[in-house]
Amino acid sequence: MNPYEQIKILAKKKGISVRDLERDLGYSNGYFGRWKKVSPNSDGIVQIADYFNVSTDYLLGRTELPVQLTADEAFSFLINDKSESLSKQDIYMLKALWKAVLNAYVEQKDKA
């Protein structure tokens, strides 16, 4: 999916048209439509990502997740509902394991 298609979907979810978005951000009519054929500039991608509170990778179709989480944010999200039933030591051990798995993944990806 190209950035223009992502923008159309995000605008629809927000209840605005692409034209309204162009107007809100000070762009000319059809500005984003040109992104169907021409690669967008980085400033435009960042501005759209900030406007919709999504990652630039999401707009570029590099991920299906609209936001990027740090390892700590992802861990906190995963463990949040279960934290009452876990001891502090359990949480510490799970967090250490989580970080080790992520580091191993990054190292493997860097070697490829």
Side-chain angles (χ1 to χ4, degrees):
M1 187 175 307
N2 67 39
Y4 177 74
E5 292 167 343
Q6 291 287 57
I7 290 169
K8 278 179 37 178
I9 291 168
L10 290 167
K12 185 176 181 179
K13 286 181 183 178
K14 193 170 180 115
I16 62 173
S17 68
V18 173
R19 176 61 192 126
D20 291 337
L21 176 63
E22 290 168 335
R23 196 175 311 119
D24 289 349
L25 296 176
Y27 292 114
S28 61
N29 189 23
Y31 177 78
F32 295 124
R34 289 188 285 267
W35 288 10
K36 292 181 221 176
K37 297 179 182 175
V38 178
S39 295
N41 65 44
S42 59
D43 291 338
I45 287 288
V46 169
Q47 188 176 24
I48 295 297
D50 289 346
Y51 182 89
F52 287 113
N53 197 28
V54 298
S55 72
T56 54
D57 280 344
Y58 179 74
L59 285 176
L60 295 171
R62 297 178 60 185
T63 182
E64 293 180 15
L65 300 174
V67 295
Q68 292 178 332
L69 301 175
T70 66
D72 287 338
E73 290 170 333
F75 179 80
S76 294
F77 175 77
L78 290 173
I79 206 69
N80 192 27
D81 293 337
K82 298 165 184 66
S83 60
E84 293 177 9
S85 62
L86 297 171
S87 71
K88 287 184 180 183
Q89 184 176 359
D90 289 340
I91 292 172
Y92 176 80
M93 296 297 289
L94 286 170
K95 193 170 192 175
L97 178 61
W98 174 255
K99 286 186 177 185
V101 167
L102 290 177
N103 286 334
Y105 173 77
V106 169
E107 288 176 16
Q108 180 183 3
K109 196 169 182 174
D110 286 344
K111 289 179 183 179

